[in-house]
Amino acid sequence: MRALCLCFLLGAVGCSDSNGLGEPTLPNVERTETLYSLIGTPVSTPSGYALEGQRLVRTDQTDAFDFVYSLQSDGQHVFLPRAALGIDTANTVSPGFLARVESFQDITAAPSNGYITDNAVPFAVGDRFVVRSRVTCSIGVPKYAKLEVLTYDDAVKTVTFRILVDDNCGFKGLQPGLPDN
């Protein structure tokens, strides 16, 4: 009986990692990025952002992005996830935005659901979001990030934001350093 209990205990300890993902290898690092409006700026300027690799993307060269920035004709600033642009609308996991009220530092983990995926996401300076990517990981899951709008410039049609992306596939931790979840 003792041997059976010991085997059960060892099995429980060995399976204590609830996410089954192994150890993260890439530290989360905060960055500041600037995007140009999709409308009204030269095609050579980046309007898209890819969480995978934390890259600014020129939309004339590829559709490998998760969202774009656009300054609308009515003066409204919006982020447009892929489905809002008519790209990959049938995917089961689409890139999207989830508005948050807590401070940037207090956003510590990304939820799985509740993201706006198929509509424009209006924003103002100081707004914060959790962002979900398209599926880019070999294990079939998206990546997650937190984003805070710092400034925008209507004259040159840019938005500047700070972003922290968890580049570890399957992890949702949104604090600097190696994630624990």
Side-chain angles (χ1 to χ4, degrees):
M1 187 61 147
R2 280 187 174 163
L4 182 60
C5 288
L6 181 59
C7 285
F8 178 77
L9 180 60
L10 289 174
V13 169
C15 296
S16 63
D17 179 10
S18 62
N19 62 21
L21 295 173
E23 295 297 317
T25 57
L26 302 169
N28 298 339
V29 178
E30 182 181 319
R31 300 169 56 130
T32 301
E33 304 285 11
T34 299
L35 289 176
Y36 292 80
S37 177
L38 183 65
I39 300 168
T41 61
V43 71
S44 61
T45 58
S47 298
Y49 194 81
L51 269 60
E52 172 70 27
Q54 303 176 48
R55 294 177 296 114
L56 301 174
V57 176
R58 285 181 45 182
T59 58
D60 65 316
Q61 295 181 334
T62 182
D63 67 354
F65 55 82
D66 297 304
F67 65 90
V68 299
Y69 161 64
S70 184
L71 176 58
Q72 306 294 79
S73 60
D74 63 1
Q76 187 175 47
H77 298 266
V78 298
F79 290 123
L80 296 162
R82 290 170 63 89
L85 295 166
I87 304 170
D88 296 339
T89 58
N91 283 353
T92 56
V93 178
S94 295
F97 286 81
L98 181 61
R100 301 303 289 241
V101 295
E102 62 264 54
S103 71
F104 188 80
Q105 291 81 7
D106 289 341
I107 301 171
T108 59
S112 297
N113 300 309
Y115 294 85
I116 296 171
T117 61
D118 56 359
N119 291 310
V121 178
F123 63 84
V125 169
D127 285 353
R128 291 166 302 281
F129 300 92
V130 173
V131 185
R132 180 177 66 196
S133 77
R134 65 201 186 285
V135 173
T136 58
C137 295
S138 61
I139 61 173
V141 296
K143 292 186 178 182
Y144 295 90
K146 62 181 176 179
L147 178 153
E148 181 177 32
V149 178
L150 299 176
T151 62
Y152 44 76
D153 185 331
D154 289 352
V156 292
K157 300 181 180 178
T158 60
V159 62
T160 300
F161 53 90
R162 66 177 170 165
I163 189 165
L164 182 142
V165 178
D166 190 335
D167 256 329
N168 297 282
C169 288
F171 284 81
K172 297 179 180 180
L174 298 177
Q175 294 179 300
L178 289 174
D180 59 6
N181 60 351

